[in-house]
């Protein structure tokens, strides 16, 4: 076994080196991207199941790389987290998303929530609440039009998370648990933390038609959330069947390709204007 371990070390060594240099490459490139304004936000609507209205938007980060084209967050968020670059990037995201939401309101579009994804590192940073307060003040956005999406992994540092969540509740912003059910934290945080919404992960919504266990998980999450007086949104809704099941189980909101892909600012603004005229 030792012999094999040694061989596999030799086998994997070049790959490791490759990974490390990729990381450094991405880190350098990301630094530049932030400075040169290559980062962009796309927006995906969140729809009320009961009346079909747009009730929110999720801001999703994109990187417009001059040679590599549009780079999706899965390819760079991990590196940004490891290097700490997620902190200035996340600040830019919050600022840009709040400003955009205020702009829509100034254009006379019906007021909606803006959902912003946060990494644990960003959320658990000292003075995070102050940053949010400053951005709300600068942009003039009312706090309840901002919803912060955090994942269960953020809640592993229970002490830190609970004090930040209390401050944010005091401020009046909303909190959603993203990718709900895919993390490792215990459920006890659900009764202890001031939360507004659970977001059912796409992995449970997908294949609901073929998978009885996915249907059981989805309906159980919705029932549990309602018993805890939390609202529910399902992500990754792609088919009418999925929508019908969610509607039947009284899921309040949905988001997914069935309604719209994430779109750049100008396209989503046109989409909202068209829906408003209907
Ligand atoms: P997430 O927050 O779980 O976002 C949902 C992902 O599912 C998005 O991928 C979205 O484009 C995609 N999606 C939405 N509807 C559908 C659908 O109907 N079908 C399918 N197949 N996919 C759908 P995206 O935009 O590539 O983002 C990936 C992840 O990157 C996000 O997952 C989030 O964890 C992270 N992310 C995105 N923007 C930010 C950001 O500003 N800050 C941080 N920290 N993370 C971000
Ligand atoms: Ca999200
Ligand atoms: Ca997800
Ligand atoms: Ca996620």
């Amino acid at each position: 076994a030792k012999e094999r371990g040694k061989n596999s070390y030799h086998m994997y060594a070049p790959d490791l080196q490759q990974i490390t240099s990729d990381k450094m490459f991405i880190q350098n490139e990301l630094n530049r991207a932030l400075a040169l304004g290559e980062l962009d936000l796309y927006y995906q609507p969140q729809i009320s199941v009961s009346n079909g209205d747009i009730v929110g938007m999720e801001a999703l980060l994109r990187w417009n790389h001059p040679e590599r084209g549009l780079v999706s967050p899965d390819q760079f968020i991990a590196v940004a987290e490891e290097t700490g670059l997620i902190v200035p990037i996340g600040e830019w995201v919050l600022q840009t998303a709040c400003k955009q939401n205020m702009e829509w309101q100034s254009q006379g579009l019906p007021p909606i929530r803006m959902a912003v994804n946060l990494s644990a590192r960003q959320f658990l940073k000292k003075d995070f609440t102050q940053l949010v307060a400053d951005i709300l003040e600068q942009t003039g956005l009312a706090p309840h039009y901002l919803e912060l999406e955090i994942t269960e992994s953020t809640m592993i540092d229970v002490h830190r998370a609970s004090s930040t969540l209390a401050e944010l509740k005091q401020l009046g912003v909303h909190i959603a648990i993203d990718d709900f059910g895919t993390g490792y934290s215990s459920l006890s945080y659900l009764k202890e933390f001031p939360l507004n919404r659970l977001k059912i992960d796409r992995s449970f919504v997908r294949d609901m038609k073929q998978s009885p266990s996915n249907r059981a998980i989805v309906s159980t999450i919705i029932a549990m959330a309602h018993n805890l007086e939390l609202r529910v949104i399902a992500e990754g809704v792609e088919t009418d069947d999925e929508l019908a099941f969610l509607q039947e189980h009284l899921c309040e909101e949905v988001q997914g390709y069935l309604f719209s892909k994430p779109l750049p600012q100008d396209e989503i603004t046109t989409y909202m204007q068209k829906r408003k005229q209907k």
Side-chain angles (χ1 to χ4, degrees), residues 74 117 151 178-179 201 235:
D74 289 332
N117 292 287
T151 60
D178 204 357
D179 300 346
D201 192 60
E235 69 174 15

Side-chain angles (χ1 to χ4, degrees), residues 244-256:
F245 183 87
L246 292 160
Q247 186 161 29
E248 190 187 323
H249 289 84
L250 307 178
C251 181
E252 284 86 5
E253 294 175 17
V254 284
Q255 182 181 345

Side-chain angles (χ1 to χ4, degrees), residues 217-233:
I217 290 168
V218 167
S219 57
T220 304
I221 291 175
I222 298 170
M224 180 185 66
H226 288 166
N227 284 330
L228 291 164
E229 295 180 347
L230 297 169
R231 306 281 79 88
V232 190
I233 182 165

Side-chain angles (χ1 to χ4, degrees), residues 145-168:
Y145 290 126
L146 175 63
E147 184 159 280
L148 303 173
E149 295 194 356
I150 59 177
T151 60
E152 290 168 310
S153 62
T154 306
M155 247 95 64
I156 287 169
D157 188 344
V158 176
H159 191 72
R160 197 60 176 272
S162 77
S163 65
T164 302
L165 285 169
E167 289 169 11
L168 289 167

Side-chain angles (χ1 to χ4, degrees), residues 176-226:
I177 304 302
D178 204 357
D179 300 346
F180 182 73
T182 63
Y184 291 101
S185 63
S186 89
L187 287 177
S188 61
Y189 73 84
L190 288 177
K191 61 183 168 79
E192 281 155 26
F193 293 170
L195 308 171
N196 301 86
R197 201 179 313 278
L198 298 186
K199 192 162 192 179
I200 303 178
D201 192 60
R202 187 174 43 153
S203 60
F204 301 127
V205 174
R206 191 175 51 203
D207 302 330
M208 274 199 306
K209 195 169 183 185
Q210 292 84 357
S211 162
S213 52
N214 274 9
R215 289 197 296 276
I217 290 168
V218 167
S219 57
T220 304
I221 291 175
I222 298 170
M224 180 185 66
H226 288 166

Side-chain angles (χ1 to χ4, degrees), residues 35-53:
L36 297 184
E38 287 172 15
L39 297 181
D40 201 4
L41 290 183
Y42 274 40
Y43 300 95
Q44 187 179 37
Q46 302 181 324
I47 309 288
S48 157
V49 173
S50 62
N51 60 17
D53 284 352

